[in-house]
């Protein structure tokens, strides 16, 4: 579906290797790191955007004492902590974590 509204859509694109960039603690700096989708025109016509998808299970026992809002926020924050700085500084693009529940 995203290929119908955006251009240059790539599934599981490899990220550019980190060289001398100073990235925030917790950022994935491994060679061969991948995200789920990259595309042009997701937010603005020519800019490249990366997304990474996570599906959470609110009924899991590990989520018993957590509100749905807190679950979404935690998973979003984990993805941003891992990839946002690298995508902005190295890829010169935007990063949007997509979090869904079952």
């Amino acid at each position: 579906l995203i290929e119908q509204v955006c251009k240059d859509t790539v599934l599981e694109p490899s990220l550019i290797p980190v060289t001398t960039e100073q990235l925030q603690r917790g950022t994935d700096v491994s060679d061969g790191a991948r995200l789920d989708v990259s595309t042009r025109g997701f937010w603005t016509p020519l800019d490249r955007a990366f997304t990474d998808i996570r599906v959470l299970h609110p009924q899991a026992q590990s989520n018993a004492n957590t509100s749905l809002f807190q679950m979404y926020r935690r998973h979003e924050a984990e993805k941003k902590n891992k990839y946002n700085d690298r995508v902005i500084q190295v890829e010169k693009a935007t990063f949007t974590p997509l979090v869904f529940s079952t």
Side-chain angles (χ1 to χ4, degrees):
L1 184 61
I2 197 168
E3 293 169 332
Q4 294 177 4
V5 290
C6 296
K7 300 197 180 320
D8 301 326
T9 300
V10 178
L11 301 179
E12 295 188 358
S14 295
L15 298 179
I16 296 170
V18 174
T19 53
T20 61
E21 295 83 7
Q22 298 296 314
L23 304 176
Q24 292 179 0
R25 188 173 143 156
T27 300
D28 183 346
V29 296
S30 62
D31 288 341
R34 297 175 178 268
L35 290 172
D36 291 327
V37 180
S38 77
T39 192
R40 292 197 185 276
F42 189 75
W43 294 116
T44 56
L46 297 175
D47 289 338
R48 190 169 183 199
F50 286 83
T51 63
D52 204 55
I53 300 164
R54 178 173 288 179
V55 178
L56 66 95
H57 306 286
Q59 301 303 320
Q61 190 165 353
S62 61
N63 293 323
N65 297 319
T66 309
S67 73
L68 190 57
F69 178 78
Q70 290 171 321
M71 287 181 234
Y72 277 109
R73 294 292 258 182
R74 184 183 77 230
H75 289 286
E76 177 187 20
E78 287 174 5
K79 290 289 186 182
K80 281 186 171 183
N81 187 49
K82 191 171 182 180
Y83 297 111
N84 195 54
D85 205 35
R86 180 173 179 167
V87 169
I88 290 170
Q89 289 195 43
V90 179
E91 299 288 338
K92 307 297 186 213
T94 61
F95 175 67
T96 304
L98 300 176
V99 181
F100 301 99
S101 64
T102 58

